Amino acid sequence: MKKHILFIGLFTVALFSYGQSSSQAKALLDEVYNKVKSYDNIYIDFTSTLENSEANLKQETHGNVSLSGEKYFLNYFGAQQLYDGTKVYTVVPENEEVTIEDVDQDADNVSPSKMLTFYKTGHNYAWDILQNVGGRKIQYVKLTPIDSNTEIKSVLLGVDTQTKHIYKLIQTGNNGTKTTITVNSFKTNQPFSSTLFTFDEKKYEDKGYYITRN
């Protein structure tokens, strides 16, 4: 559950220009980064699909994430996760459980706050395919980890060439598991509550939740 939650924000095929340079691929991602950093905050509604053919696994779920700077509030797999800039709080209502932990900056998984910056180091870049999705041009960039010991084989980022927003993220693991995040709705500069990124521990203590600190 935790691994699935940490994975995130955000994310008719035609072959197109496989010979393009890695610098062009990185330049597109830099455009995405600079565009997104210009917003005060972002709200993303998404669909996530987890597949592994060997394990006969296919799981689909919907979620949403609110981001402001490095902070985020994520609803995913029936759980909630909050990062207040210092700690990560994961709430699983089904188990009446809360986990409080420091952020693992070296984790392989792409958390919402890392989704826009993880590409900057430790990856090789390649210009990939262009998709036409309902009249929108989605250009893919393939990222391959330089570290051969990582659990991630590759990450494909699909970028809307007009808005410079991420439309799809496809992460393939060395174990054959593929996780796809597709953005259904992308909203910016929303009227977030002032307490959205503040964790109220007492509220869960009063409910009798079991609280674990790592």
Side-chain angles (χ1 to χ4, degrees), residues 41 66 68 71 73 82-84 190-200:
N41 59 61
S66 302
S68 180
K71 300 177 182 180
F73 182 78
L82 167 69
Y83 176 49
D84 63 3
Q190 298 297 291
F192 289 163
S193 165
S194 60
T195 60
L196 179 61
F197 304 109
T198 302
F199 182 74
D200 185 355

Side-chain angles (χ1 to χ4, degrees), residues 28 40 46 93 117 132 134 144 186:
L28 177 60
D40 291 335
F46 62 88
T117 58
N132 188 317
T144 306
F186 190 106

Side-chain angles (χ1 to χ4, degrees), residues 81-120:
Q81 187 174 83
L82 167 69
Y83 176 49
D84 63 3
T86 304
K87 294 183 180 295
V88 174
Y89 306 85
T90 303
V91 181
V92 184
E94 182 180 358
N95 300 336
E96 296 187 346
E97 182 178 77
V98 175
T99 302
I100 303 174
E101 55 193 332
D102 293 324
V103 176
D104 182 1
Q105 299 291 350
D106 298 323
D108 285 337
N109 296 89
V110 183
S111 68
S113 60
K114 289 167 63 179
M115 187 174 179
L116 301 172
T117 58
F118 77 96
Y119 74 90
K120 287 179 173 289

Side-chain angles (χ1 to χ4, degrees), residues 35 137 159-165:
K35 182 71 176 289
K137 293 182 179 180
V159 178
D160 186 316
T161 59
Q162 181 176 359
T163 64
K164 298 301 187 295
H165 293 162

Side-chain angles (χ1 to χ4, degrees), residues 29-168:
L29 295 183
D30 284 341
E31 282 191 83
V32 173
Y33 174 77
N34 291 329
K35 182 71 176 289
V36 169
K37 292 296 286 184
S38 70
Y39 302 130
D40 291 335
N41 59 61
I42 301 170
Y43 173 84
I44 300 172
D45 178 86
F46 62 88
T47 300
S48 176
T49 304
L50 183 69
E51 297 179 272
N52 188 310
S53 56
E54 290 187 5
N56 195 28
L57 171 67
K58 185 170 183 179
Q59 188 175 26
E60 182 175 296
T61 188
H62 287 78
N64 59 73
V65 60
S66 302
L67 304 106
S68 180
E70 293 296 306
K71 300 177 182 180
Y72 65 82
F73 182 78
L74 173 69
N75 289 290
Y76 190 45
F77 270 107
Q80 295 85 45
Q81 187 174 83
L82 167 69
Y83 176 49
D84 63 3
T86 304
K87 294 183 180 295
V88 174
Y89 306 85
T90 303
V91 181
V92 184
E94 182 180 358
N95 300 336
E96 296 187 346
E97 182 178 77
V98 175
T99 302
I100 303 174
E101 55 193 332
D102 293 324
V103 176
D104 182 1
Q105 299 291 350
D106 298 323
D108 285 337
N109 296 89
V110 183
S111 68
S113 60
K114 289 167 63 179
M115 187 174 179
L116 301 172
T117 58
F118 77 96
Y119 74 90
K120 287 179 173 289
T121 58
H123 293 86
N124 292 317
Y125 307 92
W127 197 253
D128 212 271
I129 61 174
L130 181 74
Q131 284 186 340
N132 188 317
V133 180
R136 301 164 63 192
K137 293 182 179 180
I138 308 299
Q139 177 62 57
Y140 282 86
V141 171
K142 186 175 184 178
L143 292 83
T144 306
I146 295 173
D147 183 2
S148 59
N149 293 321
T150 181
E151 295 179 1
I152 299 172
K153 183 178 180 180
S154 65
V155 175
L156 276 170
L157 280 176
V159 178
D160 186 316
T161 59
Q162 181 176 359
T163 64
K164 298 301 187 295
H165 293 162
I166 293 176
Y167 166 71
K168 183 171 289 190

